[in-house]
Amino acid sequence: MSNFFKKAVLYMQLPEMRLFWYFLPLAILILIIDILYLPKSWVLINVGIFFTLGIIILVNNLRLARLNLEIKLERNEMRSIVYNLFDGIIAYDQDFRILIFNRAAERILNISADRVINQNFTPEKAKDINFSVLGQILYPSLAALVVRRSEQGMFPQIADFTFKQPELNLRVTTDKIIDPNGQLLGFVKIIHDRTREIEILKSKSEFIEVAAHQLRTPLTSLNWIFESLARETLTDSQKELINMGLLGAGGVLKTVNDLLDVSQIEEGRFGYKFENINLISFAEEIMASVMALAKESKIKIYFKKPEEASIMVFADPQKLSIAFSNLITNAIKYNIENGEVVVEIQKLEGQPYIQISVKDTGIGIPPEDVKKLFTKFFRADNAKKIITGGTGLGLYISKNIIKRHGGEIWAESQLNRGSVFYFTVPIDLKLVPPTEAAFGEE
Ligand code: ADP
């Protein structure tokens, strides 16, 4: 009951109740005049009318007051959530007037909200050294190092910004603010500070790199020793032992090299050297380099060439060959005896891309595993059964290389029937990312 009274007192004090409080003395005054000057029956009628009016006004005002109180509470709750979020939130209208700048945005960008709220953030202001980070986030075209993680023009837009001074790694998600009628009101940016995250990943990568470097030298010698021994005249049992050693050392050396590649890729220093290459002769060279393995595995390789004699693309031939030969090697490794591999290069109709596909007649990939193929260390169970030594890093490395070239990579497969791996490379120079990104493709 006391709760009810408390609430009643609270509502009575709200501004929406003003009309009721103005009405009350007026009604009392008119009643006093009535009592003094009118016959009793009229006084009774007037009391009835005022009472009914009073109740209507009171009920309506109370309802309005309750509604407004709820809206205010909700708004405050929202504001408090937005202001206390760990990620920075910036909302601005179409004229780049900043409407919301929460506490995390203040902390991450080292700017107090008072300096920017309600200010029109023009491109000129964005160039101001004091607002440099905020300026680059609001106008990504001004940013020195930005990597888009979503398709251009699509919302929400996701982009990674790297700043040197101050050292910051930010993932910024931008979305439109649209009213219920579909009218664009402005934009909201969510800023996720990944600086610490990236630092930890970097130190992990550095550790792997140092360890891999230490292991590589003795492993290369070991591999070389086994290779020299294999060329000697040996008894059958000696040959078997040496081959086992060669296989083991080769496998570990491949793992170490893959780990080194991964750590360099993730630190954004795989060191790409782009040049114009003819994709057709490039593919022919790679296919020639895997011929010995194909012959040994009794697999036939076919090349479906496009009509054009040459297709020029802007690529790093050494890095692209890692990705391309990994796909062909996999198509041979995970094939069946007397199986086939078909490599096809084609220009995509109406698109600025060349598509390369590698089709095999092999063991296929279980449907639930297809989406996991390009993640680190993933190996499907059916593949593990036939080839025990594998790193599960080849496709992860390939994906990073293709993405760095501005292309996409994906696979289609039917279990026990075969697989097709596709990748694209752009023919339009503008579609090749300008820089190598750190910790590219999570
Ligand atoms: P690895 O071959 O060393 O295991 P990859 O990253 O190249 O590493 O391949 C990851 C996994 O993807 C393989 O272990 C296998 O399960 C699957 N895979 C890749 N290519 C094929 C293919 N052509 N046919 C069937 N499975 C494949």
Side-chain angles (χ1 to χ4, degrees):
M1 200 61 179
S2 72
N3 213 3
F4 172 79
F5 275 114
K6 261 190 214 160
K7 254 192 187 168
V9 171
L10 175 75
Y11 284 138
M12 288 299 186
Q13 288 170 352
L14 291 173
E16 291 80 2
M17 297 303 292
R18 221 175 291 148
L19 187 64
F20 177 74
W21 293 122
Y22 290 154
F23 167 79
L24 206 60
L26 194 71
I28 293 168
L29 185 72
I30 294 174
L31 267 179
I32 292 169
I33 296 170
D34 278 5
I35 291 165
L36 290 178
Y37 298 102
L38 287 181
K40 264 194 187 132
S41 56
W42 273 108
V43 174
L44 269 175
I45 292 170
N46 273 358
V47 167
I49 293 172
F50 280 132
F51 187 71
T52 322
L53 263 176
I55 294 288
I56 292 172
I57 293 176
L58 181 68
V59 169
N60 265 334
N61 282 9
L62 270 176
R63 219 173 43 199
L64 191 71
R66 205 183 58 217
L67 260 173
N68 278 352
L69 192 67
E70 272 171 18
I71 292 172
K72 269 186 207 157
L73 284 175
E74 229 168 71
R75 201 181 287 158
N76 279 343
E77 225 166 75
M78 273 306 289
R79 189 170 296 166
S80 139
I81 291 172
V82 166
Y83 274 83
N84 292 307
L85 272 179
F86 191 71
D87 283 345
I89 308 278
I90 303 174
Y92 51 96
D93 65 14
Q94 291 196 69
D95 299 324
F96 283 75
R97 191 166 64 92
I98 295 182
L99 308 168
I100 297 175
F101 199 85
N102 75 345
R103 223 173 283 164
E106 289 185 309
R107 172 177 47 79
I108 297 168
L109 305 175
N110 197 21
I111 300 171
S112 104
D114 314 336
R115 294 180 66 196
V116 286
I117 235 122
N118 280 327
Q119 304 260 345
N120 275 65
F121 220 88
T122 56
E124 283 67 46
K125 189 164 178 161
K127 286 176 194 150
D128 181 340
I129 191 93
N130 296 311
F131 299 113
S132 141
V133 176
L134 175 61
Q136 293 179 54
I137 287 174
L138 290 178
Y139 297 96
S141 55
L142 300 176
L145 218 97
V146 58
V147 179
R148 280 182 203 285
R149 299 280 176 219
S150 57
E151 268 181 53
Q152 209 157 4
M154 295 285 279
F155 281 90
Q157 279 174 16
I158 304 169
D160 287 343
F161 291 78
T162 306
F163 300 97
K164 291 272 176 275
Q165 253 179 349
E167 199 159 304
L168 278 176
N169 278 291
L170 307 176
R171 172 156 294 178
V172 179
T173 308
T174 310
D175 212 349
K176 292 177 182 173
I177 308 172
I178 292 173
D179 77 359
N181 303 322
Q183 192 91 21
L184 178 71
L185 301 177
F187 297 90
V188 61
K189 284 190 187 284
I190 303 168
I191 307 166
H192 179 60
D193 186 358
R194 304 198 311 151
T195 315
R196 177 101 187 95
E197 224 170 281
I198 301 278
E199 248 171 47
I200 294 169
L201 283 171
K202 249 189 194 159
S203 61
K204 205 174 77 185
S205 275
E206 271 161 21
F207 170 74
I208 293 173
E209 199 172 337
V210 171
H213 263 303
Q214 297 286 339
L215 288 169
R216 197 158 63 164
T217 322
L219 276 170
T220 313
S221 319
L222 204 64
N223 205 42
W224 180 82
I225 292 168
F226 281 124
E227 271 174 0
S228 324
L229 281 174
R231 283 193 288 270
E232 300 290 321
T233 4
L234 302 163
T235 64
D236 281 352
S237 61
Q238 281 171 331
K239 247 187 203 157
E240 201 178 321
L241 275 177
I242 296 299
N243 277 340
M244 273 168 67
L246 196 58
L247 217 67
V252 186
L253 194 60
K254 164 103 174 63
T255 310
V256 165
N257 283 332
D258 280 358
L259 281 173
L260 263 176
D261 284 353
V262 167
S263 68
Q264 284 174 355
I265 284 172
E266 292 190 339
E267 278 195 50
R269 45 180 197 81
F270 202 29
Y272 289 86
K273 290 191 182 77
F274 279 80
E275 59 185 85
N276 284 314
I277 61 164
N278 175 6
L279 205 55
I280 298 171
S281 50
F282 169 77
E284 280 169 340
E285 272 169 39
I286 289 178
M287 285 163 70
S289 72
V290 294
M291 267 318 164
L293 176 71
K295 226 179 204 172
E296 197 183 299
S297 319
K298 300 195 182 75
I299 306 289
K300 287 204 174 71
I301 301 191
Y302 300 99
F303 185 18
K304 271 198 195 168
K305 282 192 206 179
E307 284 163 12
E308 296 85 355
S310 76
I311 295 181
M312 300 306 289
V313 291
F314 193 56
D316 176 333
Q318 195 254 328
K319 302 287 191 266
L320 198 62
S321 76
I322 298 178
F324 201 174
S325 48
N326 180 50
L327 296 187
I328 306 182
T329 314
N330 279 350
I332 297 170
K333 273 191 329 195
Y334 301 116
N335 219 315
I336 49 164
E337 217 177 272
N338 298 315
E340 285 179 2
V341 174
V342 181
V343 177
E344 186 175 0
I345 295 184
Q346 61 184 128
K347 261 192 174 159
L348 288 182
E349 275 272 317
Q351 292 180 48
Y353 290 96
I354 306 291
Q355 178 178 286
I356 297 104
S357 62
V358 180
K359 186 174 178 212
D360 66 56
T361 50
I363 60 168
I365 300 149
E368 67 277 13
D369 288 342
V370 175
K371 57 181 180 303
K372 301 180 204 156
L373 287 175
F374 302 95
T375 54
K376 249 189 285 187
F377 301 112
F378 178 77
R379 301 200 68 215
D381 287 338
N382 63 337
K384 281 189 215 163
K385 269 184 209 145
I386 63 159
I387 293 180
T388 44
T391 61
L393 290 173
L395 289 180
Y396 176 75
I397 295 170
S398 305
K399 180 182 156 189
N400 277 278
I401 293 173
I402 300 301
K403 285 249 173 190
R404 173 66 187 93
H405 281 77
E408 288 294 334
I409 184 167
W410 69 101
E412 286 167 7
S413 184
Q414 264 190 301
L415 196 58
N416 301 319
R417 278 269 163 94
S419 318
V420 195
F421 280 79
Y422 299 92
F423 71 91
T424 53
V425 275
I427 31 178
D428 184 348
L429 204 71
K430 285 203 284 294
L431 296 169
V432 179
T435 46
E436 187 178 350
F439 299 96
E441 333 297 334
E442 300 97 80

